[in-house]
Amino acid sequence: WEPCSEGCIYQWAEHFREALRPLLDELASRAAVAAAEAEELQVAAAVAAAEVVETKPQEVRSFTYQPANPQYGQRQRHFDSTSFDNGNAVAMHHGEPFTDRKSTFQAHAAKVCNQGQVQWVLREMLSDRKIAAATHNIFAYRFFDDSRGVQVADNDDDGEDGAGSKLAQLLSLSGCEGVLVMVSRWYGGIHLGADRFKHINRAASTLLDGLGWTGRSRGAQGGAKSGGSRK
């Protein structure tokens, strides 16, 4: 046996390096591919996070009305994000409250011409802490749907049995079109019997007449104008 010379050792080292080169190249290629994939995953995660941030406000923008007095027949109401559409915003009007035997009544009204506006108004009203605390929030509405050519109307007692249909009848007989009216009652602990229905209708009709939305008020305005023109 004879030890290898320096030249022999160098030749073996070169030979060994050449033998390993394909393996080293493959490892380097795999590392580059893995790095590229990791970068793509980071970009995809960032895009997904941005999409979540952008859509989150619309997804969570909802409102659930929790009745203050469910023992009196009030029920929970849920409003989705469409009820926040400012394109459905309309002016709301509130009547003067009055009290009889510790029960207080107040009317609220708005002009509506589609279901989007109805839902916007109901959500806005029930978001008001004072209105939300009422024992009953009875409402009725009616409007003509031009797109379908049909009359749309509905009402809700909110636990005050029969009160919603009486409000609906009031709107119809008063010639109110494209109107939503709500009457809030804060119960004072003393039963009013049939007088409660009189007060509900009185609150609604007083406000609607004052706004000039009923046939009576429009007739009175027309008469006043005609009288003035005769002078």
Side-chain angles (χ1 to χ4, degrees), residues 192-216:
L192 302 185
D195 283 347
R196 69 191 190 277
F197 298 115
K198 296 178 182 177
H199 293 328
I200 290 168
N201 275 22
R202 170 191 161 194
S205 60
T206 299
L207 176 58
L208 295 172
D209 283 342
L211 291 169
W213 293 355
T214 65
R216 292 187 301 273

Side-chain angles (χ1 to χ4, degrees), residues 45-82:
V47 170
E51 290 177 350
V52 169
V53 170
E54 289 175 1
T55 59
K56 187 176 180 180
Q58 185 176 358
E59 291 174 355
V60 301
R61 198 167 194 191
S62 62
F63 171 66
T64 299
Y65 165 68
Q66 301 289 352
N69 302 280
Q71 70 272 26
Y72 292 114
Q74 288 185 305
R75 62 184 178 85
Q76 185 184 84
R77 298 180 186 279
H78 181 73
F79 298 88
D80 61 23
S81 58
T82 58

